[in-house]
Amino acid sequence: MKTPVTTLSITRPDDWHLHLRDGMALKSVLPDTARRFARAIVMPNLKPPVTTVAQAAAYRQRILDAVPAGLSFQPLMTLYLTDNTPPAEIDTARTSGIVHGVKLYPAGATTNSDAGVTGIAKCAAALARMEKIGMPLLVHGEVTDPEVDVFDREAVFIERVMRPLQQDFPGLRVVFEHITTTDAADYVSAAPANVAATITAHHLLLNRNALFQGGLRPHHYCLPVLKREAHRQALLRCATSGSPKFFLGTDSAPHGRRSKEIDCGCAGCYTAHAGIELYAEAFDAANALDRLEGFASFFGADFYGLPRNANRIALVKQPWPVPAEQPFLADDMLVPFRHNETVAWSLQG
Ligand code: DOR
Ligand code: ZN
């Protein structure tokens, strides 16, 4: 019988999809990420969104200013694609060296996406430039059509947007962000090597029952929404497959308690406080801890054409209690994922 693994040393991981917010919220959540991850792809859905390289540079500096002393963390910036993003801004993004992707939010799909894209055709010139210079397009893959069932929005997006996009821009580097369905898992698996996907820890750990476990659970509400168990299993198979097309992106998305526990609550799970530990738990449960390092520390860097990290982190299988809440804003607290419960793996040091 194999001795169960209880300690793990892996190359320092990166988070390829993260929401850091700004101001006081940024200052309160960044230490959680910087303790675990060397780098993160930072989402541009601020209010107003980060649509220019100048805005990305200023935001990057605010992030660097918020990194706690003694930690090193490198924010990898993104631009928010709009119907009017000029191709020249894509060139500026590339030469800046600080922008590593351009995010496509279908207008109205999620938090602060009102300025998002209303039709792919409107962005054709910007997409063509991205394809030409190898700038990745990061996709929130859900249609916004209110006629489409909320659980089907990702699958329908594949047919209505992803396939035509791949046809029109076959060389475009695309990250299908936070995939949640068998449909997306199959689509990405079958696509050429320039199409990859991120997978969150919460979509690996939970199915949609978690939204209604003993009552309505707003802290499990995110977008794309949790799906049924068969989809979770498919994501787990992708994440633990060893395929370089799938890599870690927490989509940690902090919202204060008062924005979550209300009549019309915000979408987003805060997972940065256990950003790597939750993945260790999911991989452990699938008997695939030997596949964690590739998923968490190698494949994302390889896809983005960045060097793999040189240093390491250690994890130990030792449960730790997650607090009920943690500081966030002057007048609001943050309810972390697994609040009042335990996470099975701990970060050492
Ligand atoms: O749950 C989500 N929260 N999904 C998103 O796409 C956006 C994010 C946020 O910014 O809060
Ligand atoms: Zn996100």
Side-chain angles (χ1 to χ4, degrees):
M1 210 177 86
K2 247 170 61 176
T3 329
V5 178
T6 54
T7 60
L8 199 61
S9 161
I10 59 168
T11 299
R12 191 170 199 83
D14 301 303
D15 185 347
W16 299 100
H17 183 129
L18 176 66
H19 297 269
L20 283 174
R21 313 305 189 206
D22 211 344
M24 188 175 173
L26 163 65
K27 288 192 183 68
S28 42
V29 298
L30 183 60
D32 282 341
T33 290
R35 250 176 234 131
R36 291 162 178 81
F37 298 100
R39 301 170 287 198
I41 285 280
V42 179
M43 288 297 126
N45 62 333
L46 301 182
K47 282 184 226 166
V50 178
T51 55
T52 66
V53 178
Q55 288 169 334
Y59 184 30
R60 178 173 176 270
Q61 192 55 52
R62 295 197 295 280
I63 297 169
L64 290 173
D65 291 345
V67 176
L71 294 177
S72 82
F73 174 74
Q74 209 187 328
L76 308 172
M77 308 313 292
T78 59
L79 293 188
Y80 186 112
L81 187 67
T82 71
D83 289 348
N84 310 308
T85 303
E89 197 67 23
I90 306 293
D91 292 332
T92 310
R94 171 41 47 87
T95 46
S96 77
I98 62 161
V99 174
H100 296 266
V102 176
K103 179 74 189 257
L104 164 62
Y105 284 109
T110 187
T111 309
N112 301 341
S113 62
D114 301 348
V117 169
T118 61
I120 279 285
K122 301 207 169 117
C123 319
L127 293 170
R129 189 64 56 89
M130 290 168 62
E131 180 183 35
K132 189 163 166 224
I133 67 171
M135 175 66 74
L137 178 72
L138 320 183
V139 179
H140 183 108
E142 289 190 291
V143 292
T144 52
D145 183 345
E147 302 275 298
V148 177
D149 188 279
V150 68
F151 291 100
D152 297 333
R153 286 182 186 177
E154 186 172 280
V156 173
F157 185 88
I158 293 170
E159 301 311 319
R160 288 193 194 167
V161 183
M162 284 301 253
R163 289 193 199 283
L165 186 71
Q166 206 188 338
Q167 277 212 324
D168 294 347
F169 307 95
L172 185 64
R173 304 166 62 69
V174 177
V175 185
F176 198 153
E177 300 286 351
H178 42 56
I179 58 167
T180 63
T181 57
T182 309
D183 313 70
D186 291 346
Y187 175 79
V188 173
S189 298
N194 53 309
V195 179
T198 55
I199 306 180
T200 79
H202 45 288
H203 289 99
L204 290 176
L205 290 164
L206 302 178
N207 64 36
R208 67 193 194 181
N209 287 350
L211 285 164
F212 310 105
Q213 201 177 22
L216 193 57
R217 305 294 293 269
H219 300 289
H220 287 159
Y221 171 58
C222 63
L223 287 172
V225 72
L226 294 169
K227 304 297 191 301
R228 58 168 73 241
E229 177 63 9
H231 296 291
R232 187 186 76 85
Q233 295 284 345
L235 301 179
L236 207 47
R237 279 196 300 278
C238 290
T240 61
S241 66
S243 162
K245 288 171 148 289
F246 300 99
F247 42 83
L248 184 157
T250 63
D251 197 19
S252 178
H255 291 279
R257 181 191 287 281
R258 297 203 299 167
S259 311
K260 294 284 290 176
E261 299 177 6
I262 51 165
D263 179 38
C264 186
C266 292
C269 296
Y270 183 70
T271 54
H273 63 296
I276 186 65
E277 298 92 321
L278 291 166
Y279 284 100
E281 217 187 273
F283 277 62
D284 191 11
N287 265 314
L289 279 172
D290 57 329
R291 293 280 166 86
L292 181 63
E293 187 177 38
F295 177 82
S297 315
F298 295 163
F299 303 151
D302 297 350
F303 185 87
Y304 278 93
L306 294 168
R308 295 177 177 181
N309 296 316
N311 50 354
R312 305 181 75 77
I313 60 160
L315 295 160
V316 50
K317 193 168 183 176
Q318 194 173 73
W320 57 281
V322 178
E325 54 183 21
Q326 64 183 75
F328 187 52
L329 296 171
D331 60 350
D332 208 357
M333 298 290 279
L334 183 59
V335 180
F337 189 80
R338 284 281 173 78
H339 59 283
N340 290 330
E341 293 178 59
T342 59
V343 172
W345 284 78
S346 306
L347 183 73
Q348 293 250 279

